[in-house]
Amino acid sequence: MRVLITGAGGTVGAALSEALAARGDSVIGVTRDPAAPRDDAITWVAWDGVKAAVAEADAVVHLAGADVTAKRWTAARKAELRASRIDTARTLVEAIASSERKPRVLVSASAVGYYGPHGSEELDEDAPPGTDFLATLCRDWEAAAQGSGVRTVLFRMGVVLTREGGALPKMLRPFRLGLGGSIGRGRQWLSWVHFTDVTGAMIHAIDSDTVEGPLNLCAPEPLTNAAFTRALGGALRRPALLWVPPFVFRLQLGEGASVLTSGQRVLPRRTEALGYRFRFRDIDAALADLLR
């Protein structure tokens, strides 16, 4: 099978590319700079070559998108966050819709931020979208990924835990020094997912013709930020008694701090109902695997 992936050079894209290659699939990666040194196992194409690449693909996975916590949310940064997700999704949908030979499926990333900030309310795939910037971004992202004429899967991803990038490596050093702690009082919920389940669920969606529509891609056992702090401290055998005032993140990220200081208690009910079985359901097992 030939799988075209946007964002193949990112943390999730690289893990998915490796998992696909391990089972004998070939990967076409879409990049803005195909001449840059990259994974030789991937065939790289530029965005202006997407239409031709789509015609050769059996499946398309859309993972491209600027990091929501990398920079302060200025008006320009918000525009960049939208363009990197929505404009690219529209480009893919148009390429698929106009192609004589279409892929079997389009899998597009989204995020649990779709639901907006919530307290302890349990949220499954039927919950409505929120109204803040991130929720609107995710809603418009999902809308842009539809209409290609092929089976479409929309994965609302939680915080991806992996050794290779993202949130976990940034936390390890202070926690190992005994300086770990919660964000504020840690009452906000954290919907997380082990990277193995990210790639596993995406491959399940590629292979299974019955999988379609919005799916929550997060472990079945979310937990509060305080509980996560205790679990990570325990896994590292270090105290984790400190806490960081939320205003520290607001000074750095502005409105974007809400990604860290608020949260959602999201459950993957439809994902499990459609046949995916999570390998890492609870945080202790996930951290034991990631930190071994």
Side-chain angles (χ1 to χ4, degrees), residues 217-280:
L217 185 44
C218 48
E221 298 182 18
L223 71 170
T224 64
N225 177 260
F228 176 81
T229 297
R230 291 193 296 272
L232 182 54
L236 294 171
R237 299 182 181 179
R238 294 290 188 274
L241 304 175
L242 305 177
W243 63 282
V244 182
F247 79 83
V248 173
F249 298 101
R250 287 195 289 269
L251 287 174
Q252 179 183 5
L253 297 173
E255 183 186 346
S258 62
V259 177
L260 304 174
T261 60
S262 63
Q264 304 85 14
R265 188 180 185 181
V266 179
L267 302 177
R269 286 173 178 154
R270 191 164 180 270
T271 306
E272 292 192 292
L274 288 175
Y276 183 68
R277 299 291 174 258
F278 284 83
R279 286 187 56 189
F280 296 95

Side-chain angles (χ1 to χ4, degrees), residues 64-69 73 77-90 108-111 113-116 129-145 255 259:
D67 187 345
V68 295
T69 61
W73 282 9
R77 181 59 175 175
K78 285 183 176 181
E80 183 181 1
L81 292 173
R82 289 184 60 83
S84 66
R85 290 164 169 78
I86 296 168
D87 292 355
T88 52
R90 288 172 178 160
S108 182
S110 182
Y114 172 93
Y115 302 107
T131 58
D132 63 318
F133 170 76
L134 187 57
T136 302
L137 172 63
C138 292
R139 183 197 65 199
D140 294 347
W141 189 7
E142 292 184 9
E255 183 186 346
V259 177

